Amino acid sequence: MSKKSQINIQVELDEEKMPEKIEWNAPDGGVEGWQDTKGILLGLWDGQEKTALRIDLWVNKMMVDEMNDFFYQTLFGMADTYARATRNTELASELKEFAKDFHKKAIAALEKENGQ
């Protein structure tokens, strides 16, 4: 008999229905209490339709430099996941290099925007 496990996400919205607070927990994974987070990128695969579904949320107080780091770390982590799932370490390495280049360009763009 299989056991179900839950990962819970709560989103508080402001008057304009934009995320103001995001919290999550995963009791079976050892995360009992609600944990604050500034953003989530949740990807789901619909095997019947063969399409990717996404839920992307971030709080209005998330800074651009935080978003840059969030995307860099997410892309880098996806490369590790891809390597484990496919054993294609060559493409995983390419994705990591893309993530590093993306991060450098994102930092440069932010510095330029801020006049540094």
Side-chain angles (χ1 to χ4, degrees):
M1 178 186 268
S2 63
K3 181 183 180 221
K4 292 186 178 186
S5 182
Q6 288 189 348
I7 299 170
N8 305 296
I9 299 168
Q10 291 187 151
V11 181
E12 288 183 28
L13 304 175
D14 65 14
E15 308 80 42
E16 296 167 7
K17 297 188 178 179
M18 299 300 294
E20 193 170 58
K21 183 174 186 173
I22 303 171
E23 299 174 303
W24 71 281
N25 72 11
D28 294 335
V31 184
E32 295 290 333
W34 288 102
Q35 305 293 309
D36 285 333
T37 186
K38 286 189 170 183
I40 62 170
L41 302 173
L42 179 62
L44 307 160
W45 178 250
D46 183 330
Q48 284 187 304
E49 296 293 323
K50 303 285 188 221
T51 58
L53 309 168
R54 293 187 352 246
I55 299 172
D56 303 335
L57 298 170
W58 59 94
V59 296
N60 53 8
K61 293 178 181 145
M62 188 168 191
M63 305 300 290
V64 173
D65 64 323
E66 292 176 305
M67 186 62 83
N68 289 341
D69 291 345
F70 183 36
F71 266 77
Y72 164 68
Q73 292 178 30
T74 299
L75 290 168
F76 206 88
M78 287 173 65
D80 289 333
T81 302
Y82 182 80
R84 281 194 312 275
T86 66
R87 296 189 183 98
N88 189 334
T89 56
E90 185 178 329
L91 276 179
S93 292
E94 284 186 36
L95 184 51
K96 284 184 178 184
E97 286 306 312
F98 171 80
K100 290 176 190 175
D101 190 48
F102 169 88
H103 197 237
K104 286 179 193 169
K105 289 177 180 178
I107 290 169
L110 185 58
E111 288 174 351
K112 183 178 179 183
E113 185 178 306
N114 292 334
Q116 297 177 354

